[in-house]
Amino acid sequence: GRCYFFNGDMYVGAWRNDQMSGFGRYYYQNGQSFEGNFINGKREGKGKYQLSDGRVDVYCYSNDKRSGAGVRWSRDRKKAWRLMDGKQKGKVSIEEAVRIGDRCGPDRMDDERL
């Protein structure tokens, strides 16, 4: 289903009991977006957050909060940094970034959309 929110945000994805639940994409009015899994209206499990400047954070979520290790990709996808609990911790190789992303990225993510 699709829902347009009063603040300009939009969600496209699965619903259960009138809440975002399952795989979906949430588009924020500020140009950022989240793609991943939801449970009872909260981000849960694997997810990808696209910033408005083109950078991408790939993370695992627990109860709508980032949890554990993740990776941030540069706009051109030629550089990457390890993230821990939402904070940038240092540059990593592309190979390591791919490994982190494989553990945390959304189940339906493919290279074209990363």
Side-chain angles (χ1 to χ4, degrees):
R2 182 180 302 241
C3 180
Y4 297 93
F5 296 94
F6 183 74
N7 66 356
D9 294 353
M10 179 181 71
Y11 172 76
V12 178
W15 293 86
R16 177 179 238 164
N17 298 324
D18 292 328
Q19 292 187 328
M20 299 177 291
S21 224
F23 188 84
R25 293 178 183 92
Y26 193 100
Y27 301 93
Y28 299 89
Q29 57 85 23
N30 64 6
Q32 299 180 3
S33 64
F34 172 81
E35 176 181 305
N37 298 300
F38 293 83
I39 295 178
N40 298 323
K42 296 180 180 179
R43 295 174 290 184
E44 187 69 35
K46 299 177 176 187
K48 175 181 83 167
Y49 194 90
Q50 173 102 29
L51 294 111
S52 56
D53 65 4
R55 293 176 297 158
V56 171
D57 292 353
V58 178
Y59 243 103
C60 292
Y61 289 79
S62 178
N63 199 31
D64 214 35
K65 295 191 184 333
R66 292 177 174 199
S67 175
V71 65
R72 172 170 288 161
W73 289 91
S74 65
R75 181 179 179 174
D76 63 7
R77 308 300 185 262
K78 293 182 179 178
K79 294 182 257 176
W81 297 264
R82 178 182 309 277
L83 300 171
M84 185 59 71
D85 296 322
K87 296 189 170 100
Q88 190 169 304
K89 292 295 182 179
K91 196 171 181 181
V92 295
S93 69
I94 297 301
E95 294 79 16
E96 179 65 13
V98 169
R99 282 192 291 274
I100 296 168
D102 285 346
R103 289 192 300 267
C104 299
D107 292 330
R108 294 191 187 179
M109 184 170 60
D110 57 36
D111 290 337
E112 183 179 87
R113 290 186 285 138
L114 178 69

